[in-house]
Amino acid sequence: MNGRAERGALPRPRVFITGASSGIGAALAREYAARGATLGLLGRRRDALEQLASSLPGRHHIYPLDVTDHAALSAAAADFIARAGGADVVIASSGISHGTLTERPDDLPRFAEVFEVNVLGTIATFAPFIESMKSGDGVPKRLVAIGSVAGIRGMKGAGAYCASKAAVHSYAEALRLEMQAYGIRVVTIAPGYIDTPMTHDNRFPMPFLMPAGRFAARAVRTIERGSSYRVIPWQMGLAAKLLRLLPNAVFDALFSRAPQKARKVAT
């Protein structure tokens, strides 16, 4: 395999992205389209997917569905593999976040929803592609899990989101070991605060807030290199390492009174 292929800098990669309706998924779609990729764009909102696809250079395939519909997701994967001739990069970018409190019984369904989308949705995204990616066609293959710095330490009021992203990180690590025998690289990217609709509702300071387009450019470079794990931006990576090293007593004292994400009030 030559050096260019090893870095994953393909002239026209075939890339399947979930959560492409907005936010990080849409930003990654724009970055890959600018690099000549053929895209499979999956998201819940058909209108947003159609608008995105029409704004991008090249021809792309849209799949308006929810990652919790595993049968439809598997069918979409099969359709993209057939139309594009395979997949080189699969990015599990679908994710939701709710403020949650364990003490509130009405929040239990919100915990379940966050885990179903963020964790099971990631697994269901990768599963239908793996067999075809074992083909050994000489093209580097990547399975990309979008985690979060929120998965590094738990934050009050965000138990569901933090726990789900911690689960994504651990799952991707296990999958990375499983895929080594096939030469498929599993890349975990943990975004810090990225300027997307998901962060617009936050009512607390967001250090090192990064535009989605800049995040996407750095993420794609990370994916091409096949790095196993990276926090973007790097400043949040350093902060996350420091937080991880804090003794629990110090961490608790610093963050027990921190502001928290608002709960979604049931209607």
mmCIF file of all heavy atoms in Angstrom, residues 180-217:
data_model
loop_
_atom_site.group_PDB
_atom_site.id
_atom_site.type_symbol
_atom_site.label_atom_id
_atom_site.label_comp_id
_atom_site.label_asym_id
_atom_site.label_seq_id
_atom_site.Cartn_x
_atom_site.Cartn_y
_atom_site.Cartn_z
ATOM 1 N N GLN A 180 -8.903 -4.771 13.845
ATOM 2 C CA GLN A 180 -7.483 -4.766 13.469
ATOM 3 C C GLN A 180 -7.143 -5.881 12.497
ATOM 4 O O GLN A 180 -6.348 -5.698 11.579
ATOM 5 C CB GLN A 180 -6.617 -4.873 14.728
ATOM 6 C CG GLN A 180 -6.463 -3.565 15.481
ATOM 7 C CD GLN A 180 -5.530 -3.700 16.671
ATOM 8 O OE1 GLN A 180 -5.140 -4.810 17.052
ATOM 9 N NE2 GLN A 180 -5.178 -2.576 17.266
ATOM 10 N N ALA A 181 -7.746 -7.030 12.679
ATOM 11 C CA ALA A 181 -7.428 -8.184 11.824
ATOM 12 C C ALA A 181 -7.816 -7.946 10.374
ATOM 13 O O ALA A 181 -7.270 -8.588 9.471
ATOM 14 C CB ALA A 181 -8.137 -9.432 12.349
ATOM 15 N N TYR A 182 -8.734 -7.006 10.137
ATOM 16 C CA TYR A 182 -9.220 -6.741 8.777
ATOM 17 C C TYR A 182 -8.631 -5.463 8.179
ATOM 18 O O TYR A 182 -8.970 -5.089 7.066
ATOM 19 C CB TYR A 182 -10.745 -6.639 8.783
ATOM 20 C CG TYR A 182 -11.408 -7.808 9.471
ATOM 21 C CD1 TYR A 182 -12.050 -7.637 10.693
ATOM 22 C CD2 TYR A 182 -11.370 -9.081 8.913
ATOM 23 C CE1 TYR A 182 -12.656 -8.699 11.335
ATOM 24 C CE2 TYR A 182 -11.971 -10.157 9.553
ATOM 25 C CZ TYR A 182 -12.609 -9.961 10.771
ATOM 26 O OH TYR A 182 -13.196 -11.014 11.410
ATOM 27 N N GLY A 183 -7.777 -4.786 8.929
ATOM 28 C CA GLY A 183 -7.189 -3.543 8.431
ATOM 29 C C GLY A 183 -8.166 -2.378 8.405
ATOM 30 O O GLY A 183 -7.915 -1.372 7.737
ATOM 31 N N ILE A 184 -9.275 -2.497 9.125
ATOM 32 C CA ILE A 184 -10.256 -1.409 9.215
ATOM 33 C C ILE A 184 -9.928 -0.587 10.450
ATOM 34 O O ILE A 184 -9.894 -1.127 11.567
ATOM 35 C CB ILE A 184 -11.692 -1.953 9.306
ATOM 36 C CG1 ILE A 184 -12.029 -2.808 8.084
ATOM 37 C CG2 ILE A 184 -12.698 -0.811 9.462
ATOM 38 C CD1 ILE A 184 -13.333 -3.568 8.215
ATOM 39 N N ARG A 185 -9.695 0.685 10.267
ATOM 40 C CA ARG A 185 -9.347 1.535 11.401
ATOM 41 C C ARG A 185 -10.604 2.178 11.996
ATOM 42 O O ARG A 185 -11.450 2.683 11.269
ATOM 43 C CB ARG A 185 -8.348 2.607 10.992
ATOM 44 C CG ARG A 185 -7.014 2.023 10.575
ATOM 45 C CD ARG A 185 -5.919 3.048 10.567
ATOM 46 N NE ARG A 185 -4.651 2.467 10.159
ATOM 47 C CZ ARG A 185 -3.497 3.136 10.120
ATOM 48 N NH1 ARG A 185 -3.467 4.422 10.444
ATOM 49 N NH2 ARG A 185 -2.388 2.534 9.743
ATOM 50 N N VAL A 186 -10.669 2.133 13.310
ATOM 51 C CA VAL A 186 -11.772 2.758 14.039
ATOM 52 C C VAL A 186 -11.243 4.041 14.671
ATOM 53 O O VAL A 186 -10.275 4.016 15.439
ATOM 54 C CB VAL A 186 -12.342 1.816 15.109
ATOM 55 C CG1 VAL A 186 -13.470 2.508 15.886
ATOM 56 C CG2 VAL A 186 -12.849 0.532 14.464
ATOM 57 N N VAL A 187 -11.864 5.141 14.327
ATOM 58 C CA VAL A 187 -11.430 6.472 14.762
ATOM 59 C C VAL A 187 -12.493 7.053 15.692
ATOM 60 O O VAL A 187 -13.669 7.129 15.321
ATOM 61 C CB VAL A 187 -11.233 7.409 13.562
ATOM 62 C CG1 VAL A 187 -10.811 8.802 14.015
ATOM 63 C CG2 VAL A 187 -10.216 6.823 12.578
ATOM 64 N N THR A 188 -12.075 7.441 16.886
ATOM 65 C CA THR A 188 -12.976 8.125 17.809
ATOM 66 C C THR A 188 -12.600 9.596 17.854
ATOM 67 O O THR A 188 -11.447 9.936 18.124
ATOM 68 C CB THR A 188 -12.885 7.538 19.227
ATOM 69 O OG1 THR A 188 -13.176 6.142 19.177
ATOM 70 C CG2 THR A 188 -13.871 8.231 20.160
ATOM 71 N N ILE A 189 -13.571 10.458 17.569
ATOM 72 C CA ILE A 189 -13.356 11.900 17.644
ATOM 73 C C ILE A 189 -14.263 12.454 18.736
ATOM 74 O O ILE A 189 -15.481 12.226 18.716
ATOM 75 C CB ILE A 189 -13.642 12.580 16.303
ATOM 76 C CG1 ILE A 189 -12.658 12.077 15.244
ATOM 77 C CG2 ILE A 189 -13.555 14.106 16.432
ATOM 78 C CD1 ILE A 189 -12.897 12.623 13.860
ATOM 79 N N ALA A 190 -13.675 13.140 19.685
ATOM 80 C CA ALA A 190 -14.418 13.725 20.799
ATOM 81 C C ALA A 190 -14.445 15.240 20.633
ATOM 82 O O ALA A 190 -13.469 15.917 20.959
ATOM 83 C CB ALA A 190 -13.769 13.341 22.123
ATOM 84 N N PRO A 191 -15.539 15.783 20.102
ATOM 85 C CA PRO A 191 -15.628 17.238 19.960
ATOM 86 C C PRO A 191 -15.744 17.917 21.327
ATOM 87 O O PRO A 191 -16.357 17.377 22.265
ATOM 88 C CB PRO A 191 -16.915 17.445 19.151
ATOM 89 C CG PRO A 191 -17.256 16.108 18.587
ATOM 90 C CD PRO A 191 -16.718 15.105 19.560
ATOM 91 N N GLY A 192 -15.147 19.112 21.397
ATOM 92 C CA GLY A 192 -15.434 19.986 22.525
ATOM 93 C C GLY A 192 -16.719 20.737 22.224
ATOM 94 O O GLY A 192 -17.673 20.177 21.692
ATOM 95 N N TYR A 193 -16.734 22.031 22.538
ATOM 96 C CA TYR A 193 -17.900 22.843 22.214
ATOM 97 C C TYR A 193 -17.806 23.292 20.759
ATOM 98 O O TYR A 193 -16.888 24.016 20.374
ATOM 99 C CB TYR A 193 -17.986 24.048 23.146
ATOM 100 C CG TYR A 193 -18.300 23.681 24.576
ATOM 101 C CD1 TYR A 193 -17.358 23.867 25.585
ATOM 102 C CD2 TYR A 193 -19.537 23.132 24.911
ATOM 103 C CE1 TYR A 193 -17.644 23.521 26.900
ATOM 104 C CE2 TYR A 193 -19.827 22.776 26.215
ATOM 105 C CZ TYR A 193 -18.882 22.979 27.206
ATOM 106 O OH TYR A 193 -19.170 22.629 28.504
ATOM 107 N N ILE A 194 -18.741 22.826 19.940
ATOM 108 C CA ILE A 194 -18.792 23.175 18.528
ATOM 109 C C ILE A 194 -20.056 23.989 18.286
ATOM 110 O O ILE A 194 -21.122 23.677 18.834
ATOM 111 C CB ILE A 194 -18.800 21.906 17.642
ATOM 112 C CG1 ILE A 194 -17.659 20.954 18.054
ATOM 113 C CG2 ILE A 194 -18.685 22.282 16.171
ATOM 114 C CD1 ILE A 194 -16.266 21.534 17.966
ATOM 115 N N ASP A 195 -19.939 25.024 17.486
ATOM 116 C CA ASP A 195 -21.066 25.936 17.240
ATOM 117 C C ASP A 195 -22.078 25.257 16.322
ATOM 118 O O ASP A 195 -21.993 25.342 15.095
ATOM 119 C CB ASP A 195 -20.559 27.240 16.619
ATOM 120 C CG ASP A 195 -21.647 28.303 16.527
ATOM 121 O OD1 ASP A 195 -22.751 28.075 17.067
ATOM 122 O OD2 ASP A 195 -21.390 29.363 15.928
ATOM 123 N N THR A 196 -23.043 24.568 16.928
ATOM 124 C CA THR A 196 -24.089 23.843 16.201
ATOM 125 C C THR A 196 -25.418 24.083 16.921
ATOM 126 O O THR A 196 -25.442 24.588 18.055
ATOM 127 C CB THR A 196 -23.806 22.333 16.173
ATOM 128 O OG1 THR A 196 -23.942 21.821 17.509
ATOM 129 C CG2 THR A 196 -22.414 22.036 15.646
ATOM 130 N N PRO A 197 -26.532 23.682 16.300
ATOM 131 C CA PRO A 197 -27.820 23.822 16.992
ATOM 132 C C PRO A 197 -27.855 23.145 18.356
ATOM 133 O O PRO A 197 -28.565 23.597 19.252
ATOM 134 C CB PRO A 197 -28.804 23.162 16.014
ATOM 135 C CG PRO A 197 -28.191 23.408 14.665
ATOM 136 C CD PRO A 197 -26.717 23.274 14.884
ATOM 137 N N MET A 198 -27.090 22.067 18.553
ATOM 138 C CA MET A 198 -27.105 21.367 19.841
ATOM 139 C C MET A 198 -26.568 22.238 20.966
ATOM 140 O O MET A 198 -27.003 22.126 22.117
ATOM 141 C CB MET A 198 -26.309 20.066 19.754
ATOM 142 C CG MET A 198 -26.362 19.244 21.039
ATOM 143 S SD MET A 198 -25.426 17.696 20.968
ATOM 144 C CE MET A 198 -26.468 16.716 19.897
ATOM 145 N N THR A 199 -25.599 23.112 20.660
ATOM 146 C CA THR A 199 -25.012 23.953 21.704
ATOM 147 C C THR A 199 -25.705 25.304 21.842
ATOM 148 O O THR A 199 -25.430 26.031 22.804
ATOM 149 C CB THR A 199 -23.514 24.199 21.430
ATOM 150 O OG1 THR A 199 -23.356 24.843 20.147
ATOM 151 C CG2 THR A 199 -22.742 22.898 21.422
ATOM 152 N N HIS A 200 -26.594 25.642 20.923
ATOM 153 C CA HIS A 200 -27.217 26.962 20.973
ATOM 154 C C HIS A 200 -28.094 27.148 22.199
ATOM 155 O O HIS A 200 -28.326 28.286 22.629
ATOM 156 C CB HIS A 200 -28.036 27.211 19.699
ATOM 157 C CG HIS A 200 -27.190 27.393 18.483
ATOM 158 N ND1 HIS A 200 -27.698 27.460 17.213
ATOM 159 C CD2 HIS A 200 -25.835 27.523 18.348
ATOM 160 C CE1 HIS A 200 -26.716 27.626 16.343
ATOM 161 N NE2 HIS A 200 -25.574 27.659 17.013
ATOM 162 N N ASP A 201 -28.592 26.046 22.775
ATOM 163 C CA ASP A 201 -29.457 26.151 23.949
ATOM 164 C C ASP A 201 -28.683 26.188 25.263
ATOM 165 O O ASP A 201 -29.284 26.373 26.326
ATOM 166 C CB ASP A 201 -30.438 24.971 23.987
ATOM 167 C CG ASP A 201 -31.463 25.042 22.859
ATOM 168 O OD1 ASP A 201 -31.718 26.157 22.364
ATOM 169 O OD2 ASP A 201 -32.003 23.978 22.485
ATOM 170 N N ASN A 202 -27.381 25.999 25.197
ATOM 171 C CA ASN A 202 -26.594 26.001 26.432
ATOM 172 C C ASN A 202 -26.588 27.382 27.065
ATOM 173 O O ASN A 202 -26.344 28.378 26.381
ATOM 174 C CB ASN A 202 -25.163 25.544 26.162
ATOM 175 C CG ASN A 202 -25.080 24.070 25.810
ATOM 176 O OD1 ASN A 202 -26.033 23.320 26.008
ATOM 177 N ND2 ASN A 202 -23.945 23.640 25.290
ATOM 178 N N ARG A 203 -26.820 27.422 28.356
ATOM 179 C CA ARG A 203 -26.874 28.687 29.090
ATOM 180 C C ARG A 203 -25.692 28.820 30.036
ATOM 181 O O ARG A 203 -25.811 29.324 31.135
ATOM 182 C CB ARG A 203 -28.195 28.779 29.866
ATOM 183 C CG ARG A 203 -29.447 28.766 28.996
ATOM 184 C CD ARG A 203 -29.544 30.043 28.148
ATOM 185 N NE ARG A 203 -30.785 30.067 27.373
ATOM 186 C CZ ARG A 203 -30.872 29.721 26.102
ATOM 187 N NH1 ARG A 203 -29.768 29.307 25.468
ATOM 188 N NH2 ARG A 203 -32.015 29.776 25.459
ATOM 189 N N PHE A 204 -24.555 28.367 29.585
ATOM 190 C CA PHE A 204 -23.349 28.435 30.400
ATOM 191 C C PHE A 204 -22.153 28.690 29.489
ATOM 192 O O PHE A 204 -22.245 28.493 28.271
ATOM 193 C CB PHE A 204 -23.147 27.143 31.206
ATOM 194 C CG PHE A 204 -23.289 25.879 30.397
ATOM 195 C CD1 PHE A 204 -22.243 25.404 29.615
ATOM 196 C CD2 PHE A 204 -24.475 25.164 30.422
ATOM 197 C CE1 PHE A 204 -22.371 24.242 28.868
ATOM 198 C CE2 PHE A 204 -24.618 23.983 29.683
ATOM 199 C CZ PHE A 204 -23.564 23.527 28.916
ATOM 200 N N PRO A 205 -21.031 29.150 30.043
ATOM 201 C CA PRO A 205 -19.863 29.430 29.213
ATOM 202 C C PRO A 205 -19.381 28.179 28.491
ATOM 203 O O PRO A 205 -19.402 27.081 29.044
ATOM 204 C CB PRO A 205 -18.812 29.928 30.218
ATOM 205 C CG PRO A 205 -19.593 30.369 31.400
ATOM 206 C CD PRO A 205 -20.807 29.492 31.471
ATOM 207 N N MET A 206 -18.958 28.360 27.234
ATOM 208 C CA MET A 206 -18.452 27.246 26.431
ATOM 209 C C MET A 206 -17.040 27.598 25.961
ATOM 210 O O MET A 206 -16.853 28.204 24.907
ATOM 211 C CB MET A 206 -19.387 26.971 25.251
ATOM 212 C CG MET A 206 -20.748 26.469 25.664
ATOM 213 S SD MET A 206 -21.843 26.074 24.265
ATOM 214 C CE MET A 206 -22.298 27.734 23.739
ATOM 215 N N PRO A 207 -16.028 27.237 26.744
ATOM 216 C CA PRO A 207 -14.662 27.593 26.379
ATOM 217 C C PRO A 207 -14.220 26.949 25.079
ATOM 218 O O PRO A 207 -14.602 25.819 24.778
ATOM 219 C CB PRO A 207 -13.830 27.086 27.565
ATOM 220 C CG PRO A 207 -14.681 26.038 28.206
ATOM 221 C CD PRO A 207 -16.092 26.472 28.000
ATOM 222 N N PHE A 208 -13.426 27.692 24.316
ATOM 223 C CA PHE A 208 -12.841 27.215 23.054
ATOM 224 C C PHE A 208 -13.913 26.811 22.035
ATOM 225 O O PHE A 208 -13.705 25.886 21.243
ATOM 226 C CB PHE A 208 -11.884 26.047 23.303
ATOM 227 C CG PHE A 208 -10.920 26.261 24.430
ATOM 228 C CD1 PHE A 208 -10.956 25.456 25.568
ATOM 229 C CD2 PHE A 208 -9.988 27.281 24.371
ATOM 230 C CE1 PHE A 208 -10.076 25.657 26.608
ATOM 231 C CE2 PHE A 208 -9.090 27.497 25.410
ATOM 232 C CZ PHE A 208 -9.145 26.682 26.536
ATOM 233 N N LEU A 209 -15.041 27.522 22.048
ATOM 234 C CA LEU A 209 -16.116 27.232 21.088
ATOM 235 C C LEU A 209 -15.561 27.347 19.669
ATOM 236 O O LEU A 209 -14.940 28.333 19.297
ATOM 237 C CB LEU A 209 -17.263 28.222 21.286
ATOM 238 C CG LEU A 209 -18.485 28.053 20.376
ATOM 239 C CD1 LEU A 209 -19.212 26.751 20.700
ATOM 240 C CD2 LEU A 209 -19.429 29.249 20.541
ATOM 241 N N MET A 210 -15.807 26.318 18.852
ATOM 242 C CA MET A 210 -15.214 26.235 17.514
ATOM 243 C C MET A 210 -16.301 26.223 16.449
ATOM 244 O O MET A 210 -17.310 25.517 16.593
ATOM 245 C CB MET A 210 -14.357 24.965 17.405
ATOM 246 C CG MET A 210 -13.797 24.690 16.018
ATOM 247 S SD MET A 210 -12.734 23.206 15.961
ATOM 248 C CE MET A 210 -11.184 23.919 16.524
ATOM 249 N N PRO A 211 -16.137 26.979 15.351
ATOM 250 C CA PRO A 211 -17.086 26.881 14.230
ATOM 251 C C PRO A 211 -17.116 25.469 13.660
ATOM 252 O O PRO A 211 -16.094 24.779 13.610
ATOM 253 C CB PRO A 211 -16.522 27.879 13.208
ATOM 254 C CG PRO A 211 -15.665 28.809 14.004
ATOM 255 C CD PRO A 211 -15.095 27.989 15.122
ATOM 256 N N ALA A 212 -18.295 25.035 13.230
ATOM 257 C CA ALA A 212 -18.460 23.667 12.756
ATOM 258 C C ALA A 212 -17.577 23.363 11.545
ATOM 259 O O ALA A 212 -17.053 22.250 11.414
ATOM 260 C CB ALA A 212 -19.923 23.405 12.428
ATOM 261 N N GLY A 213 -17.417 24.331 10.654
ATOM 262 C CA GLY A 213 -16.592 24.101 9.469
ATOM 263 C C GLY A 213 -15.139 23.856 9.814
ATOM 264 O O GLY A 213 -14.485 22.985 9.213
ATOM 265 N N ARG A 214 -14.613 24.597 10.772
ATOM 266 C CA ARG A 214 -13.220 24.399 11.174
ATOM 267 C C ARG A 214 -13.058 23.035 11.850
ATOM 268 O O ARG A 214 -12.068 22.335 11.628
ATOM 269 C CB ARG A 214 -12.777 25.510 12.128
ATOM 270 C CG ARG A 214 -11.282 25.487 12.443
ATOM 271 C CD ARG A 214 -10.907 26.575 13.428
ATOM 272 N NE ARG A 214 -11.326 27.894 12.972
ATOM 273 C CZ ARG A 214 -11.309 28.977 13.733
ATOM 274 N NH1 ARG A 214 -10.904 28.897 14.999
ATOM 275 N NH2 ARG A 214 -11.691 30.138 13.246
ATOM 276 N N PHE A 215 -14.036 22.673 12.666
ATOM 277 C CA PHE A 215 -14.005 21.347 13.283
ATOM 278 C C PHE A 215 -13.967 20.264 12.218
ATOM 279 O O PHE A 215 -13.186 19.315 12.296
ATOM 280 C CB PHE A 215 -15.232 21.143 14.185
ATOM 281 C CG PHE A 215 -15.447 19.710 14.565
ATOM 282 C CD1 PHE A 215 -14.771 19.166 15.640
ATOM 283 C CD2 PHE A 215 -16.296 18.897 13.826
ATOM 284 C CE1 PHE A 215 -14.953 17.826 15.980
ATOM 285 C CE2 PHE A 215 -16.482 17.561 14.152
ATOM 286 C CZ PHE A 215 -15.800 17.031 15.234
ATOM 287 N N ALA A 216 -14.824 20.387 11.206
ATOM 288 C CA ALA A 216 -14.919 19.349 10.172
ATOM 289 C C ALA A 216 -13.597 19.176 9.436
ATOM 290 O O ALA A 216 -13.182 18.050 9.145
ATOM 291 C CB ALA A 216 -16.038 19.687 9.196
ATOM 292 N N ALA A 217 -12.925 20.277 9.114
ATOM 293 C CA ALA A 217 -11.647 20.187 8.407
ATOM 294 C C ALA A 217 -10.618 19.421 9.233
ATOM 295 O O ALA A 217 -9.885 18.565 8.714
ATOM 296 C CB ALA A 217 -11.132 21.582 8.072
#
